Amino acid sequence: MKSHTYYDVLGVSRDATLEEITTAKNALAKVYHPDANVHKDIDTTEQMQNILEAYRVLSDPEKRKAYNREMFGETERVFRTFTVGPENDGEEEAVSFVTYWNTANRLHEVIGKSVRLMKHEDKKKSLPQRIFRKIGKNQKHEESMRSRQISKLCRQAMQYITILKMADIPMEYWSPDAMNWVLIRWGQKQTMDFHILFSRYDSYIEETKTGTEKIRLKSQNRQFHNNLKELLSYALEA
């Protein structure tokens, strides 16, 4: 995968932690592994090798420092909490599509966590009041903690939504299926405007998917949008 830097290859911030670098590498490997694309007649061997090379350097503190000195002239850099969005050091830089792909993935992770927490909340609310009285203060503390977790997830979701909207990627393409499809094609020719690829994705779905598969994809998108609205609504009511 030809890209500006190893950070671009993995779609992470230059402040990313080792855990976040590893997570990004593992997620990309699932999409770019040659075995996962052989039936599509797409050779992703080179992209996979570049992902592993980027991880090999960035996961090693000494190699990462040497790489940063060579690429950015840095003598030292404090690695802060990972920020999925593009960095702004006062210079306009083209952002790797991998960054947006990672953003969409993290948004789906946030939605998944929030759905589980909100379902738990709904179950508790449906319990008879006499059970609440027996449970006592511990239950109230647990509910308060869960509410804070949901609020935090909502803030994260808003951050990711903002990044995707600023990139002019319509919500209907935030699904893993669409983002993975575009990522593979973009990786083969990174000079191409990825927005064009999204329109080609529509043609791909229309030409290759059965009626049942199209219904499944639409259902998954609708469920995602509903879950997202529920999370944002919960935060407004809290």
Side-chain angles (χ1 to χ4, degrees), residues 191-211:
T191 55
M192 178 179 289
D193 183 351
F194 61 80
H195 296 96
I196 296 174
L197 292 172
F198 281 113
S199 63
R200 292 183 182 178
Y201 171 76
D202 288 333
S203 299
Y204 162 77
I205 293 297
E206 191 61 35
E207 295 170 4
T208 65
K209 298 297 183 181
T210 65

PDB file of all heavy atoms in Angstrom, residues 191-211:
ATOM      1  N   THR A 191      -4.309   7.211  -5.677  1.00  0.00           N
ATOM      2  CA  THR A 191      -4.468   8.534  -6.277  1.00  0.00           C
ATOM      3  C   THR A 191      -5.924   8.795  -6.657  1.00  0.00           C
ATOM      4  O   THR A 191      -6.302   9.928  -6.949  1.00  0.00           O
ATOM      5  CB  THR A 191      -3.598   8.654  -7.542  1.00  0.00           C
ATOM      6  OG1 THR A 191      -3.920   7.582  -8.446  1.00  0.00           O
ATOM      7  CG2 THR A 191      -2.118   8.591  -7.194  1.00  0.00           C
ATOM      8  N   MET A 192      -6.738   7.745  -6.611  1.00  0.00           N
ATOM      9  CA  MET A 192      -8.147   7.887  -6.988  1.00  0.00           C
ATOM     10  C   MET A 192      -8.944   8.529  -5.857  1.00  0.00           C
ATOM     11  O   MET A 192      -8.697   8.271  -4.678  1.00  0.00           O
ATOM     12  CB  MET A 192      -8.744   6.515  -7.328  1.00  0.00           C
ATOM     13  CG  MET A 192     -10.220   6.546  -7.699  1.00  0.00           C
ATOM     14  SD  MET A 192     -10.875   4.913  -8.104  1.00  0.00           S
ATOM     15  CE  MET A 192     -10.059   4.636  -9.674  1.00  0.00           C
ATOM     16  N   ASP A 193      -9.904   9.366  -6.213  1.00  0.00           N
ATOM     17  CA  ASP A 193     -10.804   9.969  -5.232  1.00  0.00           C
ATOM     18  C   ASP A 193     -11.722   8.882  -4.691  1.00  0.00           C
ATOM     19  O   ASP A 193     -12.485   8.271  -5.455  1.00  0.00           O
ATOM     20  CB  ASP A 193     -11.623  11.066  -5.919  1.00  0.00           C
ATOM     21  CG  ASP A 193     -12.537  11.806  -4.943  1.00  0.00           C
ATOM     22  OD1 ASP A 193     -12.671  11.364  -3.786  1.00  0.00           O
ATOM     23  OD2 ASP A 193     -13.128  12.814  -5.355  1.00  0.00           O
ATOM     24  N   PHE A 194     -11.642   8.633  -3.395  1.00  0.00           N
ATOM     25  CA  PHE A 194     -12.434   7.531  -2.835  1.00  0.00           C
ATOM     26  C   PHE A 194     -13.937   7.776  -2.943  1.00  0.00           C
ATOM     27  O   PHE A 194     -14.728   6.826  -2.861  1.00  0.00           O
ATOM     28  CB  PHE A 194     -12.034   7.230  -1.389  1.00  0.00           C
ATOM     29  CG  PHE A 194     -12.219   8.369  -0.421  1.00  0.00           C
ATOM     30  CD1 PHE A 194     -13.464   8.657   0.099  1.00  0.00           C
ATOM     31  CD2 PHE A 194     -11.138   9.133  -0.011  1.00  0.00           C
ATOM     32  CE1 PHE A 194     -13.640   9.687   1.009  1.00  0.00           C
ATOM     33  CE2 PHE A 194     -11.303  10.175   0.899  1.00  0.00           C
ATOM     34  CZ  PHE A 194     -12.552  10.453   1.401  1.00  0.00           C
ATOM     35  N   HIS A 195     -14.357   9.017  -3.125  1.00  0.00           N
ATOM     36  CA  HIS A 195     -15.789   9.293  -3.280  1.00  0.00           C
ATOM     37  C   HIS A 195     -16.340   8.633  -4.547  1.00  0.00           C
ATOM     38  O   HIS A 195     -17.496   8.196  -4.578  1.00  0.00           O
ATOM     39  CB  HIS A 195     -16.036  10.806  -3.335  1.00  0.00           C
ATOM     40  CG  HIS A 195     -15.664  11.519  -2.072  1.00  0.00           C
ATOM     41  ND1 HIS A 195     -14.445  12.126  -1.902  1.00  0.00           N
ATOM     42  CD2 HIS A 195     -16.351  11.703  -0.913  1.00  0.00           C
ATOM     43  CE1 HIS A 195     -14.388  12.667  -0.695  1.00  0.00           C
ATOM     44  NE2 HIS A 195     -15.526  12.420  -0.077  1.00  0.00           N
ATOM     45  N   ILE A 196     -15.507   8.555  -5.581  1.00  0.00           N
ATOM     46  CA  ILE A 196     -15.910   7.886  -6.819  1.00  0.00           C
ATOM     47  C   ILE A 196     -16.151   6.404  -6.561  1.00  0.00           C
ATOM     48  O   ILE A 196     -17.066   5.793  -7.121  1.00  0.00           O
ATOM     49  CB  ILE A 196     -14.832   8.079  -7.902  1.00  0.00           C
ATOM     50  CG1 ILE A 196     -14.700   9.557  -8.255  1.00  0.00           C
ATOM     51  CG2 ILE A 196     -15.142   7.252  -9.144  1.00  0.00           C
ATOM     52  CD1 ILE A 196     -13.558   9.862  -9.214  1.00  0.00           C
ATOM     53  N   LEU A 197     -15.326   5.835  -5.695  1.00  0.00           N
ATOM     54  CA  LEU A 197     -15.445   4.404  -5.393  1.00  0.00           C
ATOM     55  C   LEU A 197     -16.768   4.081  -4.708  1.00  0.00           C
ATOM     56  O   LEU A 197     -17.319   2.993  -4.901  1.00  0.00           O
ATOM     57  CB  LEU A 197     -14.268   3.948  -4.531  1.00  0.00           C
ATOM     58  CG  LEU A 197     -12.902   3.956  -5.235  1.00  0.00           C
ATOM     59  CD1 LEU A 197     -11.796   3.668  -4.243  1.00  0.00           C
ATOM     60  CD2 LEU A 197     -12.883   2.937  -6.366  1.00  0.00           C
ATOM     61  N   PHE A 198     -17.269   5.004  -3.898  1.00  0.00           N
ATOM     62  CA  PHE A 198     -18.553   4.746  -3.238  1.00  0.00           C
ATOM     63  C   PHE A 198     -19.681   4.642  -4.265  1.00  0.00           C
ATOM     64  O   PHE A 198     -20.588   3.823  -4.115  1.00  0.00           O
ATOM     65  CB  PHE A 198     -18.859   5.839  -2.213  1.00  0.00           C
ATOM     66  CG  PHE A 198     -18.110   5.666  -0.924  1.00  0.00           C
ATOM     67  CD1 PHE A 198     -17.129   6.578  -0.544  1.00  0.00           C
ATOM     68  CD2 PHE A 198     -18.364   4.596  -0.084  1.00  0.00           C
ATOM     69  CE1 PHE A 198     -16.426   6.426   0.650  1.00  0.00           C
ATOM     70  CE2 PHE A 198     -17.667   4.425   1.107  1.00  0.00           C
ATOM     71  CZ  PHE A 198     -16.704   5.341   1.467  1.00  0.00           C
ATOM     72  N   SER A 199     -19.632   5.463  -5.302  1.00  0.00           N
ATOM     73  CA  SER A 199     -20.658   5.368  -6.337  1.00  0.00           C
ATOM     74  C   SER A 199     -20.512   4.060  -7.108  1.00  0.00           C
ATOM     75  O   SER A 199     -21.505   3.469  -7.547  1.00  0.00           O
ATOM     76  CB  SER A 199     -20.564   6.563  -7.295  1.00  0.00           C
ATOM     77  OG  SER A 199     -19.328   6.574  -7.972  1.00  0.00           O
ATOM     78  N   ARG A 200     -19.281   3.595  -7.265  1.00  0.00           N
ATOM     79  CA  ARG A 200     -19.048   2.310  -7.926  1.00  0.00           C
ATOM     80  C   ARG A 200     -19.506   1.150  -7.048  1.00  0.00           C
ATOM     81  O   ARG A 200     -19.896   0.094  -7.558  1.00  0.00           O
ATOM     82  CB  ARG A 200     -17.565   2.156  -8.272  1.00  0.00           C
ATOM     83  CG  ARG A 200     -17.093   3.131  -9.346  1.00  0.00           C
ATOM     84  CD  ARG A 200     -15.647   2.896  -9.714  1.00  0.00           C
ATOM     85  NE  ARG A 200     -15.206   3.876 -10.712  1.00  0.00           N
ATOM     86  CZ  ARG A 200     -13.970   3.936 -11.190  1.00  0.00           C
ATOM     87  NH1 ARG A 200     -13.058   3.073 -10.753  1.00  0.00           N
ATOM     88  NH2 ARG A 200     -13.648   4.853 -12.086  1.00  0.00           N
ATOM     89  N   TYR A 201     -19.447   1.355  -5.746  1.00  0.00           N
ATOM     90  CA  TYR A 201     -19.933   0.322  -4.818  1.00  0.00           C
ATOM     91  C   TYR A 201     -21.421   0.076  -5.049  1.00  0.00           C
ATOM     92  O   TYR A 201     -21.873  -1.077  -5.026  1.00  0.00           O
ATOM     93  CB  TYR A 201     -19.682   0.761  -3.376  1.00  0.00           C
ATOM     94  CG  TYR A 201     -20.337  -0.130  -2.343  1.00  0.00           C
ATOM     95  CD1 TYR A 201     -19.813  -1.379  -2.034  1.00  0.00           C
ATOM     96  CD2 TYR A 201     -21.499   0.285  -1.683  1.00  0.00           C
ATOM     97  CE1 TYR A 201     -20.417  -2.193  -1.097  1.00  0.00           C
ATOM     98  CE2 TYR A 201     -22.105  -0.522  -0.741  1.00  0.00           C
ATOM     99  CZ  TYR A 201     -21.565  -1.765  -0.450  1.00  0.00           C
ATOM    100  OH  TYR A 201     -22.166  -2.570   0.474  1.00  0.00           O
ATOM    101  N   ASP A 202     -22.177   1.131  -5.291  1.00  0.00           N
ATOM    102  CA  ASP A 202     -23.609   0.979  -5.573  1.00  0.00           C
ATOM    103  C   ASP A 202     -23.827   0.093  -6.799  1.00  0.00           C
ATOM    104  O   ASP A 202     -24.689  -0.792  -6.797  1.00  0.00           O
ATOM    105  CB  ASP A 202     -24.251   2.349  -5.804  1.00  0.00           C
ATOM    106  CG  ASP A 202     -24.379   3.153  -4.526  1.00  0.00           C
ATOM    107  OD1 ASP A 202     -24.460   2.541  -3.451  1.00  0.00           O
ATOM    108  OD2 ASP A 202     -24.401   4.397  -4.602  1.00  0.00           O
ATOM    109  N   SER A 203     -23.038   0.321  -7.833  1.00  0.00           N
ATOM    110  CA  SER A 203     -23.151  -0.478  -9.056  1.00  0.00           C
ATOM    111  C   SER A 203     -22.761  -1.927  -8.783  1.00  0.00           C
ATOM    112  O   SER A 203     -23.390  -2.859  -9.302  1.00  0.00           O
ATOM    113  CB  SER A 203     -22.250   0.099 -10.163  1.00  0.00           C
ATOM    114  OG  SER A 203     -22.632   1.415 -10.475  1.00  0.00           O
ATOM    115  N   TYR A 204     -21.722  -2.105  -7.965  1.00  0.00           N
ATOM    116  CA  TYR A 204     -21.267  -3.451  -7.598  1.00  0.00           C
ATOM    117  C   TYR A 204     -22.379  -4.223  -6.893  1.00  0.00           C
ATOM    118  O   TYR A 204     -22.641  -5.392  -7.211  1.00  0.00           O
ATOM    119  CB  TYR A 204     -20.032  -3.339  -6.708  1.00  0.00           C
ATOM    120  CG  TYR A 204     -19.715  -4.582  -5.914  1.00  0.00           C
ATOM    121  CD1 TYR A 204     -19.111  -5.676  -6.509  1.00  0.00           C
ATOM    122  CD2 TYR A 204     -20.035  -4.643  -4.550  1.00  0.00           C
ATOM    123  CE1 TYR A 204     -18.821  -6.828  -5.775  1.00  0.00           C
ATOM    124  CE2 TYR A 204     -19.756  -5.778  -3.807  1.00  0.00           C
ATOM    125  CZ  TYR A 204     -19.154  -6.871  -4.428  1.00  0.00           C
ATOM    126  OH  TYR A 204     -18.882  -7.996  -3.693  1.00  0.00           O
ATOM    127  N   ILE A 205     -23.039  -3.576  -5.940  1.00  0.00           N
ATOM    128  CA  ILE A 205     -24.132  -4.222  -5.209  1.00  0.00           C
ATOM    129  C   ILE A 205     -25.274  -4.581  -6.157  1.00  0.00           C
ATOM    130  O   ILE A 205     -25.822  -5.691  -6.113  1.00  0.00           O
ATOM    131  CB  ILE A 205     -24.656  -3.293  -4.085  1.00  0.00           C
ATOM    132  CG1 ILE A 205     -23.599  -3.103  -3.005  1.00  0.00           C
ATOM    133  CG2 ILE A 205     -25.947  -3.852  -3.481  1.00  0.00           C
ATOM    134  CD1 ILE A 205     -23.216  -4.366  -2.272  1.00  0.00           C
ATOM    135  N   GLU A 206     -25.610  -3.650  -7.027  1.00  0.00           N
ATOM    136  CA  GLU A 206     -26.724  -3.857  -7.952  1.00  0.00           C
ATOM    137  C   GLU A 206     -26.457  -5.008  -8.914  1.00  0.00           C
ATOM    138  O   GLU A 206     -27.362  -5.787  -9.249  1.00  0.00           O
ATOM    139  CB  GLU A 206     -26.983  -2.562  -8.742  1.00  0.00           C
ATOM    140  CG  GLU A 206     -28.275  -2.569  -9.545  1.00  0.00           C
ATOM    141  CD  GLU A 206     -29.502  -2.738  -8.674  1.00  0.00           C
ATOM    142  OE1 GLU A 206     -29.501  -2.220  -7.536  1.00  0.00           O
ATOM    143  OE2 GLU A 206     -30.450  -3.415  -9.131  1.00  0.00           O
ATOM    144  N   GLU A 207     -25.205  -5.139  -9.338  1.00  0.00           N
ATOM    145  CA  GLU A 207     -24.864  -6.127 -10.363  1.00  0.00           C
ATOM    146  C   GLU A 207     -24.521  -7.508  -9.811  1.00  0.00           C
ATOM    147  O   GLU A 207     -24.684  -8.508 -10.509  1.00  0.00           O
ATOM    148  CB  GLU A 207     -23.681  -5.616 -11.194  1.00  0.00           C
ATOM    149  CG  GLU A 207     -23.990  -4.371 -12.007  1.00  0.00           C
ATOM    150  CD  GLU A 207     -22.750  -3.759 -12.615  1.00  0.00           C
ATOM    151  OE1 GLU A 207     -21.659  -4.371 -12.461  1.00  0.00           O
ATOM    152  OE2 GLU A 207     -22.856  -2.679 -13.234  1.00  0.00           O
ATOM    153  N   THR A 208     -24.042  -7.569  -8.568  1.00  0.00           N
ATOM    154  CA  THR A 208     -23.521  -8.848  -8.059  1.00  0.00           C
ATOM    155  C   THR A 208     -24.330  -9.478  -6.931  1.00  0.00           C
ATOM    156  O   THR A 208     -24.221 -10.682  -6.700  1.00  0.00           O
ATOM    157  CB  THR A 208     -22.069  -8.683  -7.565  1.00  0.00           C
ATOM    158  OG1 THR A 208     -22.054  -7.791  -6.442  1.00  0.00           O
ATOM    159  CG2 THR A 208     -21.190  -8.118  -8.677  1.00  0.00           C
ATOM    160  N   LYS A 209     -25.126  -8.695  -6.224  1.00  0.00           N
ATOM    161  CA  LYS A 209     -25.841  -9.228  -5.073  1.00  0.00           C
ATOM    162  C   LYS A 209     -27.230  -9.733  -5.459  1.00  0.00           C
ATOM    163  O   LYS A 209     -27.893  -9.163  -6.327  1.00  0.00           O
ATOM    164  CB  LYS A 209     -25.981  -8.156  -3.984  1.00  0.00           C
ATOM    165  CG  LYS A 209     -24.652  -7.655  -3.419  1.00  0.00           C
ATOM    166  CD  LYS A 209     -23.889  -8.761  -2.716  1.00  0.00           C
ATOM    167  CE  LYS A 209     -22.602  -8.222  -2.089  1.00  0.00           C
ATOM    168  NZ  LYS A 209     -21.815  -9.283  -1.421  1.00  0.00           N
ATOM    169  N   THR A 210     -27.639 -10.804  -4.798  1.00  0.00           N
ATOM    170  CA  THR A 210     -28.983 -11.323  -5.014  1.00  0.00           C
ATOM    171  C   THR A 210     -29.983 -10.441  -4.272  1.00  0.00           C
ATOM    172  O   THR A 210     -29.608  -9.601  -3.445  1.00  0.00           O
ATOM    173  CB  THR A 210     -29.091 -12.758  -4.499  1.00  0.00           C
ATOM    174  OG1 THR A 210     -28.913 -12.748  -3.060  1.00  0.00           O
ATOM    175  CG2 THR A 210     -28.043 -13.658  -5.127  1.00  0.00           C
ATOM    176  N   GLY A 211     -31.264 -10.654  -4.569  1.00  0.00           N
ATOM    177  CA  GLY A 211     -32.300  -9.881  -3.887  1.00  0.00           C
ATOM    178  C   GLY A 211     -32.249 -10.065  -2.389  1.00  0.00           C
ATOM    179  O   GLY A 211     -32.410  -9.107  -1.626  1.00  0.00           O
TER     180      GLY A 211
END
